């Protein structure tokens, strides 16, 4: 194991506060004592996966969330395995684990994180041979779940299998609509129709200033409906001052912020999801479908429902890009077949059905699993429009680079997006400035 850790530590350096890691060119191949373990016979394979073993998983999940969503199930299905889960914190990030010599067998991440962190450190393992030897049918998954990981635009290899997914939906407060006498939104609306609704709902009724619409910027920018790249993968330069990005920003942000009451609110207090589920001044809010469960304590007390996220008129029923969470096996693991068995269990229809009922969007094509979505949650008697999560198709995956977050966080969300919405800078100038900021960060990181 010491040789493995020494090899890995020589392959990565901490780059920035964003925790993006880069490779040192001298790194080549896996360490000698971390064999692929992919050529075992069926008999040998069966023996290996049934032997008692210890595995370590690293993820963003909290200890409680890990146990509820994965740990308890794995204890039932694989009682011979002792699985230790490490949650990422400020003091236990990937670089900390590598420098301390911690063995990691499995990790959970989205495709962007795989490309930003696990590939540059040579931790990502292409699992194609393992998938074949464990007879996992890739056709059982939603095609985009595999494509987002394996395509050139995505991570570029089968570095993980998708455990879950989320899309974005539009939540709406029925009480606000009822008070103002405005018809509820419906599945299949365009952005123009949503804007017309937002104008009617941005009203001060003497008791409260209601706002018609807002969206979670970061989640949308990463998975935008037009499949626009944040960074040009060839030049490694930010690429958001284009006609199409201008169109997207005008539709999603500037047009709504031009409503006077909304702009005034943005200047005094930047809107967030609290405006929807806490102060209840926001009538419509586009947010992750997974927020339904993350914010269930507050949402379950509201009179709300949801519809499919609105779409561009020329791209009907095209939602955001998929946002899969993958589980991958590290190249340093010496128990790859046992780790593969963990993934096989968590991608099984049995497990996926359980999680779908609890409101976790499946990665499988199974119609039965999809129809079971959120049927065993605090919302089960509210008769919510759960089909909203599956109404749109996913937009194609845009090219992913290790520098994308410099554009999303530094160039746009923290600075220029806010200035554009507040009317402090015009749209074209704001997008050009966002590129400048992001490109400075990219240059510094190299």
């Amino acid at each position: 194991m010491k040789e493995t850790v020494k090899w890995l530590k020589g392959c990565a350096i901490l780059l920035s506060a964003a925790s993006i890691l880069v490779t040192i060119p001298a790194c080549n191949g896996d360490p000698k004592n971390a064999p692929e373990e992919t050529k075992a016979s069926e008999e040998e394979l069966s023996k290996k996966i049934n032997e008692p073993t210890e595995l370590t998983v690293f993820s963003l999940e909290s200890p409680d969330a890990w146990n509820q969503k994965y740990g308890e199930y794995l204890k039932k299905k694989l009682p011979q395995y002792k699985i230790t889960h490490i949650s990422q914190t400020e003091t236990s990030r990937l670089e900390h684990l590598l420098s301390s010599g911690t063995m990691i067998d499995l990790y959970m991440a989205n495709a962007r994180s795989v490309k930003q962190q696990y590939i540059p450190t040579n931790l990502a393992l292409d699992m194609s041979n393992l998938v074949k030897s464990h007879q996992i049918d890739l056709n059982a998954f939603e095609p985009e779940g595999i494509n987002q990981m394996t395509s050139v635009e995505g991570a570029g290899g089968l570095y993980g299998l998708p455990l879950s997914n989320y899309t974005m939906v539009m939540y709406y407060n029925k009480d606000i609509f009822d008070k103002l006498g405005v018809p509820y939104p419906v599945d299949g609306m365009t952005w123009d129709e949503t804007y017309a609704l937002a104008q009617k709902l941005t009203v001060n009724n003497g008791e409260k200033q209601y706002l018609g619409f807002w969206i979670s910027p970061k989640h949308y920018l990463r998975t935008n409906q037009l499949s626009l790249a944040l960074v040009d993968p060839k030049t490694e330069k930010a690429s958001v001052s284009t006609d199409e990005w201008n169109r997207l920003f005008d539709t999603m942000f500037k047009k709504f912020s031009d409503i006077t009451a909304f702009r005034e609110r943005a200047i005094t207090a930047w809107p967030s999801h609290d405006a929807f589920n806490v102060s209840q001044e926001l009538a419509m809010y586009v947010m992750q479908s997974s927020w339904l469960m993350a914010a269930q304590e507050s949402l379950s007390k509201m009179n709300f429902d949801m519809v499919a996220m609105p779409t561009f008129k020329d791209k009907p029923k095209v939602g955001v890009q998929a946002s899969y969470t993958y589980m991958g096996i590290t190249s340093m693991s010496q128990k790859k077949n046992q780790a593969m068995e963990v993934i096989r269990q968590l991608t099984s229809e049995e497990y996926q059905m359980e999680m779908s009922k609890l409101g976790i969007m499946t990665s499988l094509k199974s119609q039965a699993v999809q129809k079971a979505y959120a049927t065993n949650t605090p919302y089960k008697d509210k008769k919510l429009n759960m089909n909203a999560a599956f109404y749109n198709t996913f937009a194609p995956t845009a090219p992913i680079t290790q520098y994308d977050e410099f554009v999303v966080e530094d160039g746009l969300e923290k600075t220029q997006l806010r200035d554009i919405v507040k009317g402090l800078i015009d749209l074209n100038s704001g997008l050009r400035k966002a590129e400048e900021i992001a490109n400075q960060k990219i240059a510094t990181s190299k």
Side-chain angles (χ1 to χ4, degrees):
M1 187 172 110
K2 290 181 179 178
E3 287 183 24
T4 302
V5 173
K6 182 178 180 182
W7 166 75
L8 281 164
K9 287 166 68 177
C11 292
I13 58 173
L14 178 61
L15 203 164
S16 70
S19 298
I20 297 173
L21 301 169
V22 297
T23 49
I24 295 174
C27 301
N28 290 297
D30 292 352
K32 293 180 180 179
N33 63 342
E36 289 279 340
E37 297 186 12
T38 57
K39 297 181 179 179
S41 67
E42 287 187 24
E43 184 178 347
E44 292 171 330
L45 183 59
S46 178
K47 182 179 179 181
K48 280 187 177 182
I49 64 177
N50 286 297
E51 289 175 350
T53 193
E54 295 184 11
L55 297 168
T56 298
V57 184
F58 177 61
S59 83
L60 295 174
E61 298 281 0
S62 69
D64 287 344
W66 164 262
N67 284 327
Q68 291 170 9
K69 291 161 68 175
Y70 310 103
E72 293 304 319
Y73 182 85
L74 290 172
K75 283 179 184 178
K76 289 188 297 183
K77 302 302 291 187
L78 299 171
Q80 73 275 27
Y81 287 13
K82 179 183 177 181
I83 301 175
T84 300
H85 173 254
I86 301 175
S87 299
Q88 177 177 299
T89 65
E90 285 303 312
T91 56
S92 64
R93 304 185 75 85
L94 181 60
E95 62 270 16
H96 300 140
L97 300 183
L98 294 182
S99 64
S100 67
T102 302
M103 171 62 75
I104 305 168
D105 297 289
L106 293 148
Y107 63 89
M108 293 172 60
N110 59 29
R112 181 168 277 108
S113 292
V114 170
K115 199 157 189 175
Q116 289 173 340
Q117 295 185 323
Y118 291 91
I119 292 176
T121 54
N122 284 347
L123 271 178
L125 173 76
D126 191 302
M127 295 159 44
S128 299
N129 288 335
L130 284 162
V131 164
K132 185 177 180 180
S133 62
H134 284 253
Q135 300 180 3
I136 293 177
D137 182 11
L138 296 183
N139 291 319
F141 297 93
E142 286 283 3
E144 192 60 21
I146 303 301
N147 179 66
Q148 194 169 91
M149 181 59 72
T150 59
S151 67
V152 174
E153 293 79 16
L158 192 60
Y159 299 117
L161 291 182
L163 301 187
S164 61
N165 188 17
Y166 72 77
T167 186
M168 297 188 81
V169 297
M170 187 163 73
Y171 299 87
Y172 65 97
N173 187 321
K174 297 171 77 172
D175 286 342
I176 297 177
F177 278 81
D178 293 342
K179 280 184 181 181
L180 301 178
V182 178
Y184 298 152
V186 296
D187 291 331
M189 288 175 56
T190 66
W191 284 116
D192 289 339
E193 291 169 331
T194 305
Y195 174 69
L197 266 186
Q199 287 180 304
K200 295 176 183 178
L201 293 159
T202 306
V203 173
N204 191 323
N205 70 345
E207 298 176 5
K208 185 180 288 188
Q209 173 63 62
Y210 292 109
L211 305 173
F213 172 87
W214 190 233
I215 187 170
S216 175
K218 287 193 289 188
H219 295 107
Y220 184 79
L221 291 171
R222 294 181 183 118
T223 61
N224 69 85
Q225 288 167 288
L226 299 182
S227 303
L228 304 178
L230 292 155
V231 174
D232 185 324
K234 294 180 180 178
T235 64
E236 296 187 337
K237 300 285 187 182
S239 179
V240 293
S241 63
T242 65
D243 289 344
E244 281 294 87
W245 269 109
N246 189 297
R247 174 194 179 200
L248 183 141
F249 259 77
D250 185 61
T251 301
M252 304 304 307
F253 303 110
K254 187 177 184 303
K255 195 171 184 177
F256 290 99
S257 69
D258 282 344
I259 300 173
T260 302
F262 184 90
R263 175 160 291 177
E264 290 174 349
R265 164 58 194 272
I267 292 171
T268 57
W270 185 252
S272 69
H273 55 257
D274 285 356
F276 183 83
N277 65 325
V278 179
S279 62
Q280 296 193 33
E281 60 199 289
L282 183 59
M284 300 181 289
Y285 183 49
V286 171
M287 180 56 170
Q288 297 165 297
S289 55
S290 56
W291 193 55
L292 183 69
M293 302 312 299
Q296 67 177 20
E297 183 177 350
S298 57
L299 288 176
S300 61
K301 298 173 185 176
M302 291 179 61
N303 183 22
F304 82 101
D305 205 342
M306 55 188 179
V307 294
M309 189 180 71
T311 60
F312 286 84
K313 188 175 181 179
D314 60 338
K315 293 182 180 292
K317 295 195 73 171
V318 177
V320 290
Q321 299 164 58
S323 296
Y324 289 95
T325 294
Y326 296 86
M327 180 171 273
I329 299 170
T330 68
S331 58
M332 73 190 297
S333 176
Q334 298 179 3
K335 302 169 184 176
K336 293 180 175 63
N337 282 300
Q338 293 93 329
M340 192 71 239
E341 178 62 14
V342 169
I343 296 177
R344 192 182 71 81
Q345 292 291 343
L346 296 181
T347 55
S348 68
E349 187 158 333
E350 177 187 318
Y351 171 79
Q352 291 286 315
M353 179 66 80
E354 284 193 21
M355 292 302 103
S356 183
K357 290 177 180 179
L358 294 177
I360 297 173
M361 199 171 175
T362 184
S363 60
L364 302 182
K365 287 192 293 191
S366 168
Q367 290 296 304
V369 175
Q370 291 183 11
K371 287 180 180 179
Y373 181 66
T375 54
N376 186 21
T377 72
Y379 307 110
K380 59 185 177 183
D381 297 325
K382 285 183 174 286
K383 297 181 180 179
L384 297 179
N385 176 25
M386 296 301 181
N387 184 59
F390 299 97
Y391 184 85
N392 290 328
T393 58
F394 289 112
T397 297
I400 296 171
T401 77
Q402 67 188 82
Y403 305 115
D404 290 352
E405 286 304 292
F406 290 139
V407 183
V408 173
E409 291 276 359
D410 302 281
L412 292 171
E413 208 280 332
K414 292 179 181 177
T415 56
Q416 298 313 297
L417 170 62
R418 299 185 182 223
D419 287 350
I420 291 168
V421 168
K422 294 174 183 178
L424 302 177
I425 192 171
D426 67 85
L427 181 54
N428 289 328
S429 299
L431 293 179
R432 286 196 299 269
K433 181 64 176 177
E435 282 191 344
E436 291 175 15
I437 294 170
N439 285 333
Q440 289 173 1
K441 286 280 186 178
I442 293 171
T444 301
S445 72
K446 291 183 177 180

